[in-house]
Amino acid sequence: LGYEVLEKKDFKSAIEFFKINTEKFPKSDNAWDSLGEGFYNAKNYSEALKSYEKSIELNPKSESGKEMIKKIKAKQ
């Protein structure tokens, strides 16, 4: 559902869906990655960075997460 509303550029709703997912599955790196994507698309880079960092903490092998962190840091 989060990605469906994200595609419609309803960032606020997407972020809320992704937050619920991280609450239900706090140890899921994918849930945190999705939340990061929601924040990134909403141009909330500080929250996106926090979410991607949590994702990497849970899955240090995530190359896509590492790339997004670099991308966000380049914007700051």
Side-chain angles (χ1 to χ4, degrees):
L1 272 172
Y3 280 103
E4 285 182 28
V5 293
L6 187 64
E7 285 179 17
K8 295 176 183 175
K9 302 199 184 308
D10 182 357
F11 304 126
K12 185 177 179 181
S13 294
I15 289 167
E16 289 306 312
F17 281 119
F18 294 143
K19 279 183 180 179
I20 291 167
N21 204 29
T22 61
E23 290 167 6
K24 288 187 175 268
F25 306 100
K27 295 184 180 182
S28 168
D29 64 291
N30 189 51
W32 289 100
D33 186 90
S34 297
L35 180 58
E37 189 173 347
F39 281 126
Y40 184 84
N41 280 283
K43 296 183 175 34
N44 185 338
Y45 301 123
S46 62
E47 290 300 316
L49 182 60
K50 289 177 193 176
S51 297
Y52 280 114
E53 286 174 339
K54 180 66 177 179
S55 175
I56 293 298
E57 178 186 317
L58 295 167
N59 179 12
K61 295 180 182 181
S62 173
E63 293 302 319
S64 62
K66 291 176 188 176
E67 287 300 315
M68 286 305 298
I69 288 172
K70 287 180 192 175
K71 193 173 179 179
I72 293 165
K73 287 184 175 181
K75 290 183 177 290
Q76 296 179 326

